[in-house]
Every structure is written in C-alpha cells, then in structure tokens.
Amino acid sequence: MEYNELIEKAQAMPVDVPDTGTIITGVHRTIRRRRQRQTLLAAAACVLLAIMPLTLSVGGSSAKPTLAESVSATLPSSPDNLPAPLTGYRNSIRNHQTKTLI
C-alpha cells in the first residue's frame, strides 16, 4: 500500500470520540473514589490510634516482676526499715541539715 492510500483509509474511518459529558462524569467518578479511599484510610488511622493505648494498657497489667523485685520480695524486711527511695530521701534531708549546721 502506498502512503496516500493509508491516509485515505484513515480519513474514511469514523473516529469514536466520547462527548464532554462522558469525560466529565468519568473524572468526577475518579475523584469521588479517591476521596472515599482517603476518608476510609483516615478513619482507619484514627481508630487505630484510639485503640492502641487501650491495648497497650491492658497488656501491661499482666507484667512479670523484675529480677530486683523478685529478689527483694524474698528478703525479710523489718517494720522500721523504709523502702530504698524513702531512705535515700531521708538521708538527703539529714545531709542537708548537717551541711546547714556546719
């Protein structure tokens, strides 16, 4: 086939171009789907962020005692001994009073 015959056949074929209404409808449909997908993802993220602290707090209640806690539980304690943090606080107050007197 020659070049001119190809041009004539191409010009003779009807071109099927959609009208503007069809194109605009397709664009609106695509935008609506994207917005729905974004809304769904945002809602899922919000639900996940709301549920995560609840699941972490429920899982933390069944924590095993640490090694220091288990060892200190086996040692006998006298009633006049304070826990270590309170003893340290009392000693720091006593040290402060001693430095003030000096």
Side-chain angles (χ1 to χ4, degrees), residues 40-97:
L40 182 65
L41 287 174
C46 289
V47 168
L48 184 66
L49 288 175
I51 290 177
M52 282 300 284
L54 296 175
T55 58
L56 292 177
S57 66
V58 170
S61 64
S62 64
K64 296 180 180 177
T66 63
L67 180 61
E69 290 171 342
S70 59
V71 169
S72 66
T74 60
L75 297 174
S77 63
S78 61
D80 57 335
N81 283 346
L82 292 173
L86 294 178
T87 304
Y89 180 70
R90 184 176 62 188
N91 290 339
S92 68
I93 290 175
R94 186 181 305 137
N95 291 340
H96 179 69
Q97 289 173 348

Side-chain angles (χ1 to χ4, degrees), residues 1-13:
M1 246 190 238
E2 290 184 12
Y3 183 69
N4 290 335
E5 289 178 18
L6 287 174
I7 292 175
E8 288 174 6
K9 284 186 178 182
Q11 288 174 348
M13 292 180 79

